[in-house]
Structure formats: structure tokens, C-alpha cells
Amino acid sequence: MIHDLIAIIDEYWLLLLIGQYPNGPLGGLANTLILSALSIVLAFPFAILLAFGRLSKYRVLRWPVTVLVYVTRGVPLLMLVLWSYFLVPLLTGADVPSFLTMLTTLVVYQGAFLSEIIRAGIVALGQGQMDAARALGHSYFSAMRYVILPQALYNMIPSMLSTFVATIKDTTLGYVINVPDLTFAASQVNNQLLTQPFQVFLILALTYYVICWSLTWLTNVVERRITRRRAGLIAPKRRGQFQTSLTPNATEQP
Amino acid sequence: MTASISSFAKDQTIRLADVRKSYGDYDVLKGIDATVARGEVVVICGPSGSGKSTLIRTVNRLEEINSGSIFFEGQDVHAQMSGRELNRLRSRIGFVFQSFNLFPHLSAVDNVAMSPIRVKGVAPAEAHEKALKLLDRVGLREKANSYPGQLSGGQQQRVAIARALAMEPPVMLFDEPTSALDPEMVGEVLNVMKSLAAEGMTMMCVTHEMGFARDVADRIWFIDAGQIIETATPEEFFKNPRHPRAQRFLADLRH
């Protein structure tokens, strides 16, 4: 059994790692990681915008964003993937690469989930922080930028990391629209071997497990750190711009 | 606006004219008329639910009003104005909250220095120097690098006062600044407020600290059910309250 696994990895490691590249498109684990990273990096600012929209006092902003978030959260990701895959070319006439289709869908889907986490983080701070900032003369966005978001995002780091883990797992659904990712590569290997599906998909599962477990482990470390920091056991890291010669102790803090 | 400034008596910092506010059917403020002169310390007292906090929050427009007007140095606070104008106006009215509302992610000195830097564009080094002076003034120079979570309630409120002072406001509003404090910490905050008053700061304070009112206030406004029903000097108010509601309020306090 172990022998089979090693033999498969030995034979197909390059395909699993980078797909057909350089003879075809980049695929395999590399493409999975790129797709995940891009989804996360793009979903994050998108989610902040959605959260602002959800919290806006203007209905023209709040309502459409709320509908978008609710619909997106209420529909299985696979449906969204298929919709974008078949509908976007039909509506626009453009031939969109499946990687781009998957990326966009993931950004919207994860953005919707992340936006609710960020919104919860903002709401949980209470009105007092915003009042204090406004009373000092900060504009709404200045208050968000310097007072609300630094706290809300920091408090929500564990939840956001969980969403990032979910994003990595969700990239597997790209398989149904032929995104050449790790799952796609594993399936190609399986088609060539035909007789060892259990071994092939065990390798696939283990690979995802290692990636996601590492991130979950990181989540737990961060969570513990935040708990300890709140208990006053370690001082928060200082912001660079506020370190001046007038606050000499600043740089001595761990 | 020019007209309102010229018609505005020079020594009046704040003027409230028939200020009314309601939440649905419930009238919180039922026509408040009052003025605060420059350098005057006004203490607003009254039973809970009488509208004291709502009133003081309308002065820097943290609460909107339904009708009437509030003038701050001749400018109508509740007039139509751009966001930028309102921000500038608010930055000139110091406000101290019952629950301190310090920014927990910033150290004491950064709490004080941040808004001068971000709102007024003061150079960071200069803002820090001034923040340290202000912390010194409220007796917390050595706590400059502590975070709010590491400070006691009384210390937090003193940092909050320093933070408000950092914007150099000509007037300071206090919304029950000692109500959330343990009794042994009330004194340190009141002392800071007393020293501010002694330096000639114009102040409006909602408070239940009758000792502070007696010692520091120039005038007391007694509010009940959304109306100022008595305005008096502390001497008159404590010795000889005219309104029966005020008499009962003071009698209840003595128990």
C-alpha cells in the first residue's frame, strides 16, 4: 500500500506539482496555491467594501449589497460555479478562461462570507468607538481607517483564517469546469492508472490535509496569542509611525 | 451665517434655542433654551431619564435634533453643512464619555496624539511632545506607553480628557465622566476637571457629583422630563431650590 503510494508519487510528482507545464497550462498543486492565494488576496478588500455597503446608512448601497450577500451565501458554491461558467460566455459572448471564472466566483463567494465576519467585527466594537472618533473630528472613513478597522480586523483574524482554509478547499470545485488544479491533475493520474483510485485520491486528500492543517494550526497559534494579548500578558506590537525619540520605551516592547 | 455671528453676544460660547428632540412618540427634549458664557462652568443635573445625556450629545451633534437650534461660537451646529465642516466643528468641541471610549489598540500617548496628527495634520513628533505634556497635566506621564487595558478606570478617563484637550477645544463637554468609575477613582478625575475649570475652560458637565457642582459650577441647570426647570448658582440651588422637583431630587440625594 505504502509502496503503491510512493510509486505513484515517484512517477507523477511533476504532474501533481505543476500539471502539464511547460508543455501545457500551469496546473497541479502550484495552480491550486495560486488560485487560493489570489482568491484570498482579492476577496479580502472586496469583503471590506461589501461590509461598508452593508453598514451604510444609504439604502441605494445597503440594499443591493445585502441582496448580493444573502443570495451568494444562500446558494451552493457549485451552482455559482456552473452559472458563471455557462452564463457569462452566453451573456457576454466572451470566451473566459476557466481559471478566471473560478477565481471570480471564489472572490464573490468568499467575499460574501468574509464581509459578514468583518461586519460582525465592526458591529461588535459598539457605537462608542465611532462616537469617540467622530467627536474628535474624524470623518467616517478616517474613523474606520484609524479606529474601527484596526480593531475589528484584528479581532476577526481567527475567523478570517478559517474562511481562508475554506477557500483552499473550495478551489477543488474548479475541477467541474476543468480548471487545471491539483484535483484535476490527480484525476488525470487516476485515468492513466485506472486500477488505483484509492491510492491516488488518498495522496490528493493528504496533500489538501497538510495545507489546510498548517493554516488551521496557524489559526490556533494566532488565536492563543490574541487571547494572551487581551489578558495583558504580552504588549501589542507598536506602530512604526508612532515610534519617536519621545517615546523611548516604545522600541523595547516585545 | 454672517448675520448670526454679528447678532451673537461675544461672551456666549453655546446657545440653545428651543431645542426639541423625540424618539418616535417619546419627547426627550421639550424646548431647551439656555446659554453658556465663555469661561463658564455649567453643571447639568437631574433624575435619570430626564434627557441630560441626550442634551449634551446634541451640542456636538452626536445626536440630531428635531427642531430648534444650537449655536457654538455663533455657528449653527445643526444647520445643513458639509461633512468636512461638521468634522471641523466637532474637533473644536472636546467631549468626554461616561465609558471613556479610549482606543484600545493604541497606547495612552498615541490615543492623545492620533487625532491631532490625522485630523489636524500636526507633525507626529510635535503631536507626541504635546501629548506627553497633556498626560503630564493629568498626572499620567509615566503611563504614556501603557495600553488602555492596562489602566484603571480613573486613569483611562484622565487619558480621555487629555485626548479631548489635544485638539485644543475652546469648550469641553462631559457626559457623566465619573459614573462608570469605582468610588475611589472619582476624585482623581474630578481634580483634573477642577483644574481645567480653574484655568478658565468653558465646560458643560452632566454629573451626579453634587460636591463638584457645589465647588466648581458657576451655574446649575436642573433638568426634568426634557425641560430645564431651574437654573441657579450652586449656592441658591443647594440652599434654596425653588422648584418642588428639584427639592425632592436634593432630598433624595441626601438619603
Side-chain angles (χ1 to χ4, degrees):
Chain A
M1 171 74 200
I2 302 269
H3 185 75
D4 289 345
L5 292 180
I6 292 169
I8 293 171
I9 291 170
D10 195 38
E11 175 79 23
Y12 294 104
W13 66 274
L14 199 60
L15 179 68
L16 291 170
L17 201 62
I18 57 172
Q20 306 285 350
Y21 192 81
N23 303 317
L26 182 69
L29 179 61
N31 210 27
T32 290
L33 292 179
I34 290 172
L35 181 58
S36 307
L38 276 178
S39 305
I40 290 166
V41 166
L42 295 175
F44 184 62
F46 181 60
I48 293 180
L49 289 181
L50 287 182
F52 279 179
R54 288 271 280 141
L55 291 168
S56 172
K57 61 178 174 179
Y58 302 111
R59 277 183 213 154
V60 278
L61 277 175
R62 196 171 68 234
W63 285 3
V65 173
T66 305
V67 168
L68 176 72
V69 169
Y70 270 70
V71 168
T72 311
R73 280 163 51 98
V75 171
L77 178 56
L78 187 57
M79 298 302 112
L80 288 179
V81 172
L82 292 174
W83 273 29
S84 353
Y85 185 68
F86 291 116
L87 276 184
V88 172
L90 213 65
L91 292 176
T92 62
D95 186 18
V96 187
S98 60
F99 181 87
L100 201 59
T101 305
M102 192 62 200
L103 177 63
T104 314
T105 314
L106 274 176
V107 167
V108 172
Y109 187 74
Q110 297 300 347
F113 276 88
L114 263 182
S115 77
E116 288 295 272
I117 293 173
I118 293 169
R119 187 178 71 98
I122 292 172
V123 171
L125 286 182
Q127 188 59 36
Q129 291 288 308
M130 183 53 103
D131 279 353
R134 298 309 299 274
L136 286 161
H138 288 267
S139 68
Y140 179 80
F141 285 106
S142 173
M144 277 289 176
R145 162 81 180 77
Y146 297 112
V147 176
I148 306 296
L149 281 181
Q151 298 181 62
L153 295 182
Y154 179 79
N155 293 344
M156 287 296 148
I157 284 172
S159 307
M160 291 194 295
L161 283 175
S162 307
T163 309
F164 295 162
V165 172
T167 307
I168 295 173
K169 294 193 226 171
D170 288 345
T171 58
T172 55
L173 288 178
Y175 175 75
V176 300
I177 58 169
N178 295 324
V179 177
D181 70 339
L182 181 61
T183 310
F184 189 80
S187 151
Q188 279 181 315
V189 173
N190 183 48
N191 288 343
Q192 287 183 30
L193 292 170
L194 287 174
T195 54
Q196 295 178 307
F198 178 75
Q199 288 86 336
V200 171
F201 289 112
L202 184 62
I203 292 172
L204 182 64
L206 283 174
T207 313
Y208 279 115
Y209 181 77
V210 168
I211 298 169
C212 295
W213 181 85
S214 322
L215 253 180
T216 310
W217 174 81
L218 184 68
T219 310
N220 292 338
V221 171
V222 170
E223 216 167 345
R224 264 200 303 276
R225 242 188 110 74
I226 290 175
T227 314
R228 284 177 59 202
R229 184 169 293 172
R230 290 215 180 106
L233 294 173
I234 31 175
K237 221 173 139 194
R238 293 182 55 82
R239 293 274 207 70
Q241 76 244 26
F242 284 142
Q243 289 178 0
T244 67
S245 56
L246 296 160
T247 51
N249 294 335
T251 47
E252 289 162 22
Q253 287 179 345
Chain B
M1 228 189 57
T2 328
S4 66
I5 287 178
S6 57
S7 66
F8 190 77
K10 258 216 159 86
D11 61 337
Q12 292 177 354
T13 297
I14 295 165
R15 182 159 63 91
L16 301 113
D18 197 27
V19 173
R20 289 168 192 276
K21 178 178 178 65
S22 54
Y23 294 115
D25 285 343
Y26 180 65
D27 297 326
V28 193
L29 301 175
K30 301 175 192 165
I32 303 278
D33 285 289
T35 57
V36 181
R38 179 149 304 149
E40 194 178 27
V41 177
V42 169
V43 163
I44 304 168
C45 62
S48 46
S50 56
K52 309 182 294 287
S53 285
T54 306
L55 175 65
I56 203 160
R57 286 170 64 91
T58 61
V59 176
N60 71 344
R61 206 164 161 178
L62 284 178
E63 298 277 354
E64 296 291 336
I65 58 178
N66 295 107
S67 66
S69 8
I70 298 173
F71 295 94
F72 168 67
E73 295 191 330
Q75 192 177 357
D76 187 347
V77 177
H78 288 266
Q80 278 280 0
M81 64 176 89
S82 68
R84 186 170 296 194
E85 254 178 296
L86 180 58
N87 296 337
R88 198 176 310 131
L89 184 67
R90 278 182 175 143
S91 73
R92 295 196 297 129
I93 304 177
F95 199 99
V96 176
F97 296 85
Q98 179 177 356
S99 48
F100 333 133
N101 294 344
L102 285 185
F103 306 134
H105 61 303
L106 299 177
S107 64
V109 67
D110 290 341
N111 260 281
V112 180
M114 188 200 40
S115 299
I117 296 170
R118 300 298 179 196
V119 176
K120 289 172 102 179
V122 177
E126 194 185 322
H128 270 84
E129 198 175 342
K130 193 161 162 244
L132 290 176
K133 278 189 192 141
L134 284 167
L135 287 176
D136 197 31
R137 180 167 168 189
V138 299
L140 289 171
R141 176 72 157 75
E142 76 284 6
K143 296 287 186 188
N145 289 315
S146 300
Y147 284 79
Q150 300 164 323
L151 300 175
S152 73
Q155 291 171 333
Q156 287 191 53
Q157 192 60 299
R158 285 188 282 155
V159 174
I161 293 172
R163 179 178 69 176
L165 289 173
M167 299 301 283
E168 301 178 324
V171 53
M172 288 281 283
L173 311 180
F174 295 84
D175 183 11
E176 303 204 31
T178 57
S179 299
L181 296 176
D182 290 339
E184 75 267 25
M185 293 169 186
V186 169
E188 62 192 69
V189 172
L190 291 182
N191 283 337
V192 169
M193 292 169 63
K194 276 180 195 168
S195 75
L196 268 181
E199 287 163 32
M201 176 64 80
T202 309
M203 292 162 62
M204 265 175 95
C205 319
V206 173
T207 183
H208 296 291
E209 294 297 329
M210 289 303 127
F212 176 81
R214 192 193 306 262
D215 297 344
V216 182
D218 295 308
R219 264 188 313 152
I220 291 177
W221 300 353
F222 183 79
I223 297 197
D224 186 40
Q227 284 175 309
I228 298 182
I229 57 175
E230 181 156 353
T231 333
T233 65
E235 210 164 288
E236 292 164 356
F237 183 74
F238 288 108
K239 212 182 279 172
N240 192 16
R242 291 186 303 269
H243 200 281
R245 189 67 192 84
Q247 290 164 7
R248 202 162 70 231
F249 177 76
L250 287 171
D252 287 345
L253 279 182
R254 287 194 195 97
H255 291 156

